[in-house]
Amino acid sequence: MTLRHMTLAAALLGATALGAQAQDLRIGLESDPDVLDPDQSRTFVGRIVYTALCDKLVDVTPDLKIVPQLATEWSFSDDNTSITMKLREGVTFHDGTPFDAEAVARNIDRSLTLEESRRKSELASVAGTEVLGDHEIRIDLKEPDATVLAQLADRAGMMVSPDAAEAAGADFGANPVCSGPFKFKERVAQDRIVLEKFDDYWNADEIALDSVTYLPITDTTVRLANLQSGDIDIANRVAATDLKQLEGSDSIDIEQAVSLGYQGITFNVGNGDKGDNPWGNDARLRRALSLAIGRDIINQVVFDGNFRPGNQPFPDTSPWYDADYPLPERDVEAARALLEEAGYGDGIALEVQVPNRPENLQLMQVIQSMASEAGIDVSLTSKEFATMLNDQTAGDFTASQVGWSGRIDPDGNIHQFVTTGAGLNDAGYSNEEVDRLLNEARTLADEGERKALYDQARAILQEEAPIVYLYHDTWITGLDKSVEGFVPYPDGMIRLEGVTLNAD
């Protein structure tokens, strides 16, 4: 064989190898997810992993319309106290067991009865289920619930293998078995989560990737550097302050979507012994801190003006925003007056735990400086995010800088955080009137009537301030130019249907 023929043969072999090159996607996440069990987990980044791992009964479009996923159609009863779903046929879980109506019934029962479940408050209106056929189920409600479909579009609607879940119990998250496009392969805490393509996925034609690896990289600068060097293909939550330097980049694309959620400071007002402190016992102190904070200043200094200042669970662009409580101006004198009234005219200390991410630390350092002018001495305790959430749940905190990624129904941004005993009520807040208003709002279909109840609840929460709201994110996702087919969503999820890696 001549040298020319050998070279051509090598080129052809190389081209074949390139064409068959594995599509292995690497995603840099802002933190390490908590337990990979939809019933127990609570982190935003965990939900990103679930978009590849665990299909739901329903999903949402980029414009937040609810659409079929594992349920193909549904209808409510005339009195809105039950919902009948027809389920997709030919679906299997990653362990080979079939997805059917019985599996849905067992999933919902687990969400409601597992001791560690955080989905109980989200599905509190569910009275039970009735299997109507192999692929048809009725979900019975204690009362009408306008939020139930939105809940089923998130973790409460994620379907896991009921046999695997029953066998593993509370340890299911160590080896999760779902029905999504990718199945669990391995996890090394604080290092990586690896999923591999599930060949028997019902919608396999939409999945071009062979595997996806999630890498927790808490430092936004390091995460971006990894994207720029090609060590990762997608970076979630690119820092707003990096947008200018990325304009016109030849190697990186940026996609943005306004968040549905918020960032704030949650106070321990009744979650165990640590809630018995001046900040937990006196709302005037919490309101004083709120008055000492310049939200517009935060947006400009920390985020280059790319986010939205906020003082409620919903941004001021939302139809659910309560215009009777507009964004407050910073008022140091009013803050000092409240401290004086509460008996702390000489000042008071406040310990705030904060995620060990540069953006969060910078945010709290700016707040620390502003609060000091009002006589509030803020000290910061930096923690790995999952550890911080565990401490919140246990009541081992005074105040915590924490946020929420947001939900398409307003109930998802408020109910589970401030109603008595709700799954994410780390504040330990309890007010019978707030409970009544928010529970009633769940039962109404008319948006005007619902908003009136949310506004009444907000009036109480504005005074008692178990959560001081600060701002609303914009999801900024960085993509290597090789990534094609990515679509940004307001929920911040990284969905992988139609996503490919173009080696060219």
Side-chain angles (χ1 to χ4, degrees), residues 265-266 274 349-358 360-365 367-368 377-389 391-392 396-402:
I265 297 174
T266 295
K274 276 207 167 183
L350 171 64
E351 180 187 11
V352 181
Q353 61 175 9
V354 58
N356 62 344
R357 301 188 293 236
N360 301 84
L361 288 166
Q362 185 184 3
L363 164 71
M364 284 308 306
Q365 286 163 358
I367 290 175
Q368 188 179 47
D377 179 18
V378 175
S379 62
L380 304 179
T381 301
S382 175
K383 297 181 179 180
E384 188 274 324
F385 189 55
T387 300
M388 190 186 86
L389 291 182
D391 289 346
Q392 279 183 206
D396 187 13
F397 75 108
T398 301
S400 188
Q401 195 285 293
V402 69

Side-chain angles (χ1 to χ4, degrees), residues 126-289:
V126 174
T129 59
E130 183 72 26
V131 173
L132 303 178
D134 287 348
H135 292 89
E136 187 173 6
I137 190 169
R138 187 182 72 240
I139 302 172
D140 295 319
L141 307 176
K142 301 171 186 174
E143 57 189 357
D145 183 356
T147 77
V148 67
L149 272 182
Q151 302 291 9
L152 296 176
D154 209 279
R155 283 176 290 216
M158 292 177 186
M159 296 290 104
V160 306
S161 169
D163 289 344
E166 183 176 342
D171 296 327
F172 175 78
N175 186 25
V177 182
C178 294
S179 64
F182 297 85
K183 61 183 180 180
F184 181 78
K185 181 178 180 181
E186 67 168 338
R187 178 175 192 175
V188 179
Q190 305 299 324
D191 183 72
R192 65 186 181 273
I193 295 171
V194 182
L195 310 181
E196 58 186 2
K197 186 175 182 178
F198 178 45
D199 291 332
D200 294 328
Y201 184 55
W202 64 270
N203 198 23
D205 290 346
E206 289 295 315
I207 305 299
L209 303 168
D210 295 300
S211 69
V212 54
T213 300
Y214 300 90
L215 303 163
I217 307 172
T218 58
D219 189 303
T220 52
T221 301
V222 175
R223 196 159 64 252
L224 179 59
N226 274 262
L227 181 64
Q228 292 171 317
S229 67
D231 289 330
I232 60 175
D233 306 300
I234 298 178
N236 93 302
R237 295 190 90 160
V238 171
T241 50
D242 288 328
L243 284 179
K244 288 181 181 178
Q245 82 170 80
L246 294 173
E247 289 179 0
S249 171
D250 293 331
S251 61
I252 295 173
D253 290 326
I254 292 293
E255 295 284 358
Q256 300 185 52
V258 177
S259 164
L260 300 171
Y262 63 83
Q263 287 286 327
I265 297 174
T266 295
F267 289 88
N268 186 348
V269 301
N271 185 356
D273 293 341
K274 276 207 167 183
D276 186 12
N277 69 80
W279 291 95
N281 295 333
D282 196 332
R284 291 172 295 186
L285 300 181
R286 303 191 290 272
R287 295 201 305 272
L289 178 66

Side-chain angles (χ1 to χ4, degrees), residues 447-490:
E447 290 190 2
E449 294 178 358
R450 291 185 76 193
K451 186 177 186 306
L453 295 178
Y454 288 123
D455 288 352
Q456 292 176 55
R458 279 300 313 151
I460 298 171
L461 293 166
Q462 192 77 16
E463 287 297 305
E464 300 197 346
I467 301 173
V468 170
Y469 301 95
L470 300 172
Y471 67 91
H472 306 275
D473 292 275
T474 295
W475 302 128
I476 305 172
T477 305
L479 308 165
D480 187 271
K481 289 284 188 180
S482 65
V483 177
E484 298 181 352
F486 174 82
V487 177
Y489 279 67

Side-chain angles (χ1 to χ4, degrees), residues 77-100:
S77 61
D78 291 340
D79 62 358
N80 291 319
T81 59
S82 69
I83 178 172
T84 299
M85 288 187 156
K86 292 187 177 179
L87 307 174
R88 192 174 300 280
E89 299 184 26
V91 176
T92 59
F93 292 102
H94 297 154
D95 60 0
T97 59
F99 167 77
D100 54 19

Side-chain angles (χ1 to χ4, degrees), residues 335-356:
R336 283 189 173 277
L338 278 175
L339 292 183
E340 182 77 35
E341 182 182 316
Y344 294 93
D346 293 331
I348 185 173
L350 171 64
E351 180 187 11
V352 181
Q353 61 175 9
V354 58
N356 62 344

